[in-house]
Amino acid sequence: MSVLDLARPEIRTLQPYSSARMEAGGGAVMLNANESAWPPFGADDSALNRYPEPQPAALIGRLAQLYGVRREQVLAGRGSDEAIDLLMRAFCRAGRDAILISPPTFGMYAVCARIQGADVIEVPLREDFTLDVQAMLAAATPAVKLVLVCTPNNPTGQATTHADIERLTRAVADRAIVVVDEAYVEFADPECGGSVAPLIARYGNLAVLRTLSKAYALAGVRIGVLLAAPEIIGLLRRIMSPYPLPAPCIEGALRVLSPQGLAIAARRIAIIRSERERVRNALSQLPGVLAVLPSQANFLTLRCDDVDEVQRCLLAHSIIVRDVRGHPRLGDALRITLGTPQQNDCVLAALAGVPV
Ligand SMILES: *Cc1c(COP(=O)(O)O)cnc(C)c1O
């Protein structure tokens, strides 16, 4: 069977909108898209009066190279958030289908599913916050079309093994797509095995989410990427808006994905990784900190005696962190993003009770 058999029938047969940009490429005089013939006031030569390429060839090529896949396996959209939403819309019939998630995890999965009218089946992570594959398989009813695995997981920070992902993917083949959200994978230890993107060639029902928002410092540019079988990429392009990526964002991403930009990103990832070790050790020794969860990401989640008091203490130093007490089994926890070494020192000083 094809993975497309899992999609909503009305999406499979949809006649998609065909934009002017899709129908015709480059000519000398472009009078086909009702664009302004003049660049806007104050613009340089970046052709802002023209609609951007729907999936810019240069960017898609660069992303395929970066993630080690073929261009046909890449979809670039407005953040991973858009890819998550497109997957729900393409594969989940309202009132009938479901997604499977393992809380505590990223909140967008359940929100997007509920907007689409899909049911959300929850199989909690184990006590040590690892994935309970056995329980997930037991809960994967025929209604489940998407299984979402966040690794390293937000907000707990731990990574899932490739073996567990492969086991899950094989077990639900022909029934569901396993979507692995690797927003933080660049920060993980090499022993975690890196990205599962190379496995999409082997498993037609495996999809991988990547983002430029974290390790590549481009949260403001809103570019997220889905890596999956060309059939899935093609299907989602049918329901995606015709010109998802703004021209200045494409330019910004290409700059950061240049050899020089990648070298800078690599240095910053190394800083975050060493800060993670240093700050975790220092936090663990503070009174009032019960535990710091091991993390493969660019944040540390800690359990505290008194979360309100810790937050007050940080706020007195003008430091804002994320309250994650709303998540199951994290009723005493805070998530702190790793900053520059100086910023991290401020956090440690604030929590050690150093006066403002
Ligand atoms: C930050 C984050 C993303 C990235 O989202 P974008 O829309 O690409 O900025 C994706 N997944 C998880 C789990 C995240 O924490």
Side-chain angles (χ1 to χ4, degrees):
M1 70 164 264
S2 156
V3 68
L4 294 185
D5 295 340
L6 299 174
R8 289 168 53 202
E10 61 274 33
I11 300 294
R12 278 196 317 247
T13 55
L14 176 80
Q15 177 67 49
Y17 176 71
S18 178
S19 68
R21 202 71 158 83
M22 288 173 180
E23 287 174 8
V29 184
M30 298 300 285
L31 301 177
N32 64 337
N34 299 346
E35 299 153 334
S36 167
W38 298 273
F41 170 77
D44 44 27
D45 57 352
S46 59
L48 288 180
N49 54 318
R50 300 294 175 187
Y51 282 106
E53 276 182 273
Q55 290 288 290
L59 179 63
I60 297 297
R62 205 67 69 77
L63 291 168
Q65 201 178 18
L66 181 66
Y67 299 135
V69 300
R70 294 187 287 121
R71 313 165 72 97
E72 311 80 66
Q73 295 167 324
V74 177
L75 182 79
R78 290 158 293 189
S80 325
D81 292 345
E82 181 174 35
I84 294 166
D85 182 55
L86 291 172
L87 284 164
M88 306 281 172
R89 287 200 274 149
F91 289 95
C92 295
R93 293 168 298 179
R96 297 175 67 177
D97 292 329
I99 68 161
L100 181 61
I101 60 172
S102 283
T105 193
F106 190 43
M108 280 301 288
Y109 312 141
V111 170
C112 288
R114 294 199 170 105
I115 291 170
Q116 172 61 17
D119 201 9
V120 178
I121 299 179
E122 301 188 339
V123 174
L125 294 173
R126 290 202 200 92
E127 207 55 45
D128 62 355
F129 295 124
T130 57
L131 210 61
D132 191 342
V133 177
Q134 200 62 43
M136 289 176 85
L137 293 179
T141 62
V144 171
K145 289 296 186 331
L146 301 172
V147 179
L148 288 120
V149 177
C150 186
T151 175
N153 187 43
N154 179 8
T156 60
Q158 97 288 22
T160 299
T161 64
H162 285 207
D164 273 352
I165 290 168
E166 281 198 75
R167 192 174 148 219
L168 196 55
T169 307
R170 267 199 298 265
V172 300
D174 299 344
R175 287 197 284 143
I177 297 173
V178 175
V179 182
V180 181
D181 186 344
E182 296 185 332
Y184 301 98
V185 74
E186 292 89 351
F187 301 106
D189 294 339
E191 301 80 67
C192 295
S195 174
V196 293
L199 296 177
I200 64 175
R202 199 171 332 151
Y203 301 106
N205 67 322
L206 179 65
V208 177
L209 292 166
R210 302 291 297 259
T211 181
L212 301 185
S213 295
K214 309 281 160 62
Y216 296 101
L218 283 175
V221 153
R222 309 300 309 125
I223 294 185
V225 185
L226 180 76
L227 311 174
E231 293 86 346
I232 298 178
I233 302 299
L235 184 79
L236 298 190
R237 281 203 63 185
R238 300 162 69 89
I239 60 171
M240 196 177 205
S241 79
Y243 304 106
L245 304 174
C249 297
I250 298 167
E251 259 185 45
L254 285 173
R255 228 178 9 255
V256 170
L257 299 179
S258 67
Q260 195 192 2
L262 291 178
I264 291 171
R267 285 204 291 279
R268 295 191 178 148
I269 291 167
I271 294 172
I272 293 296
R273 286 171 43 75
S274 87
E275 284 294 285
R276 183 170 71 200
E277 193 64 23
R278 175 179 83 90
V279 177
R280 181 169 185 233
N281 286 332
L283 284 173
S284 313
Q285 280 152 32
L286 291 174
V289 174
L290 302 173
V292 187
L293 303 186
S295 172
Q296 297 293 336
N298 67 341
F299 57 80
L300 291 167
T301 296
L302 36 148
R303 298 189 179 283
C304 315
D305 258 341
D306 182 346
V307 170
D308 289 320
E309 177 56 27
V310 170
Q311 263 188 310
R312 257 195 307 278
C313 211
L314 291 168
L315 200 56
H317 289 70
S318 216
I319 299 167
I320 310 293
V321 299
R322 191 74 186 257
D323 188 341
V324 293
R325 285 179 289 183
H327 287 274
R329 305 222 315 277
L330 292 177
D332 56 358
L334 278 179
R335 189 191 69 194
I336 305 181
T337 305
L338 291 157
T340 63
Q342 294 76 4
Q343 290 172 334
N344 300 333
D345 283 340
C346 291
V347 168
L348 294 172
L351 294 183
V354 176
V356 189

